[in-house]
Amino acid sequence: MSRRGPLACATVMVGLVASGVWAQEKPKYGYKDTPMLPGGKWHVHDSDRPLPPVITPGTASTQDAPGSAPSDAVVLFDGKDLSHWKSDRGGEAKWDIRDGALVIHPGAGAILSRDEFGDCQLHLEFASPVPPKGADQGRGNSGVMFFGRYEIQVLDCYDNKTYADGHAAAIYGQHPPLVNASRKPGEWQTYDILFTAPRFKDDGTVETPAHATILHNGVAVQNHAELLGPMAFRALPKYRKHGPAGPILLQDHGNPVRFRNIWVRPLNHG
Ligand code: MG
């Protein structure tokens, strides 16, 4: 490289700054003279691209106390009341609140969030009954169902044999978790779930299936797993067209599983 190139360039830059042209046209950050990204809307490092909204992250839970939700989350249960829930049989949710935990009232039926969600991040914590009672699918069984139908299994899987696709953090009947990361009964466990809703064509067929990524106690156990359809017991699942949002359902399977710190963040990318 000759020494004239950089020197000439520097001379031009000094001239631009001195004339004020550079100061006027150079954005504070980012660029406008870079290649266009696919979609034709934004340049690489585009200075006009909207900045991510600022939020305050939540705090992590301990075994002794629940953490807090991020500031932009819809809090479905914070230990106080059931105002964000209703019964799947109509009317108020009939589950119990004890020591800041939401406890399944066996026989009361499932509960549904009053708010509806499409693509979302869900955080919840659960603790299996202690001392443990029952075995197989009868031990600490519940479930969280997106759109009231796509079930992520909740089960006491600590020293409890059951079929693979019925494990805790399984997409029930479809995908076993990659590992069994269960804690002991009575200990608080976390689910962090990224759920992508299915999209349907006008004729009712599936355009894109649902997907789920799940961390169980901080361990990745489902990585963008494709759902074959809604929860089905001893049967193949089959999609049925629905709208872009639906309720979160917590299942009553007859076992007094406890929940706490439940929040959801809708994920709407423009
Ligand atoms: Mg279940």
Side-chain angles (χ1 to χ4, degrees), residues 36-124:
M36 190 64 84
L37 287 164
K41 209 168 166 188
W42 307 113
H43 293 272
V44 174
H45 318 311
D46 202 310
S47 48
D48 292 329
R49 198 165 187 176
L51 303 181
V54 175
I55 64 140
T56 306
T59 54
S61 295
T62 66
Q63 286 299 322
D64 295 329
S68 60
S71 58
D72 63 342
V74 179
V75 177
L76 294 182
F77 181 70
D78 65 359
K80 296 191 183 89
D81 61 63
L82 279 164
S83 58
H84 284 267
W85 300 89
K86 60 187 177 184
S87 170
D88 71 339
R89 298 168 183 177
E92 302 292 312
K94 297 272 178 30
W95 290 12
D96 305 314
I97 297 178
R98 280 203 296 272
D99 301 327
L102 171 58
V103 190
I104 295 175
H105 192 104
I111 62 173
L112 298 161
S113 65
R114 293 184 185 274
D115 290 317
E116 299 196 334
F117 305 94
D119 299 345
C120 63
Q121 172 187 2
L122 178 141
H123 174 92
L124 69 73

Side-chain angles (χ1 to χ4, degrees), residues 252-265:
D252 170 17
H253 205 281
N255 305 144
V257 178
R258 295 183 295 152
F259 293 93
R260 71 175 187 184
N261 197 20
I262 307 173
W263 50 260
V264 183
R265 297 180 59 250

Side-chain angles (χ1 to χ4, degrees), residues 3-261:
R3 293 178 61 191
R4 291 183 59 190
L7 278 174
C9 183
T11 304
V12 170
M13 284 174 67
V14 168
L16 284 171
V17 171
S19 67
V21 170
W22 183 274
Q24 283 167 19
E25 294 188 357
K26 175 87 172 81
K28 280 186 186 162
Y29 43 75
Y31 300 85
K32 296 299 288 184
D33 59 351
T34 43
M36 190 64 84
L37 287 164
K41 209 168 166 188
W42 307 113
H43 293 272
V44 174
H45 318 311
D46 202 310
S47 48
D48 292 329
R49 198 165 187 176
L51 303 181
V54 175
I55 64 140
T56 306
T59 54
S61 295
T62 66
Q63 286 299 322
D64 295 329
S68 60
S71 58
D72 63 342
V74 179
V75 177
L76 294 182
F77 181 70
D78 65 359
K80 296 191 183 89
D81 61 63
L82 279 164
S83 58
H84 284 267
W85 300 89
K86 60 187 177 184
S87 170
D88 71 339
R89 298 168 183 177
E92 302 292 312
K94 297 272 178 30
W95 290 12
D96 305 314
I97 297 178
R98 280 203 296 272
D99 301 327
L102 171 58
V103 190
I104 295 175
H105 192 104
I111 62 173
L112 298 161
S113 65
R114 293 184 185 274
D115 290 317
E116 299 196 334
F117 305 94
D119 299 345
C120 63
Q121 172 187 2
L122 178 141
H123 174 92
L124 69 73
E125 299 171 26
F126 70 94
S128 306
V130 63
K133 268 191 199 159
D136 192 359
Q137 291 289 303
R139 184 158 146 181
N141 195 334
S142 180
V144 51
M145 298 197 195
F146 296 87
F147 286 79
R149 71 192 76 187
Y150 304 109
E151 183 180 11
I152 311 303
Q153 174 71 309
V154 170
L155 193 75
D156 178 359
C157 272
Y158 190 87
D159 250 348
N160 177 34
K161 286 270 191 333
T162 190
Y163 45 86
D165 65 23
H167 268 60
I171 296 166
Y172 184 81
Q174 304 178 26
H175 301 293
L178 296 169
V179 294
N180 179 354
S182 297
R183 295 191 198 281
K184 292 178 182 172
E187 294 185 4
W188 285 104
Q189 311 196 51
T190 58
Y191 278 177
D192 289 283
I193 304 170
L194 299 179
F195 185 81
T196 305
R199 269 67 169 171
F200 297 92
K201 297 176 189 168
D202 288 342
D203 66 4
T205 58
V206 176
E207 185 175 0
T208 53
H211 288 83
T213 294
I214 305 175
L215 305 186
H216 181 192
N217 295 324
V219 178
V221 295
Q222 302 281 358
N223 182 13
H224 199 57
E226 180 180 316
L227 275 70
L228 307 172
M231 189 275 280
F233 176 56
R234 301 188 64 195
L236 284 173
K238 195 164 186 285
Y239 277 107
R240 273 192 21 241
K241 187 181 179 186
H242 54 69
I248 307 284
L249 180 151
L250 294 178
Q251 183 187 45
D252 170 17
H253 205 281
N255 305 144
V257 178
R258 295 183 295 152
F259 293 93
R260 71 175 187 184
N261 197 20

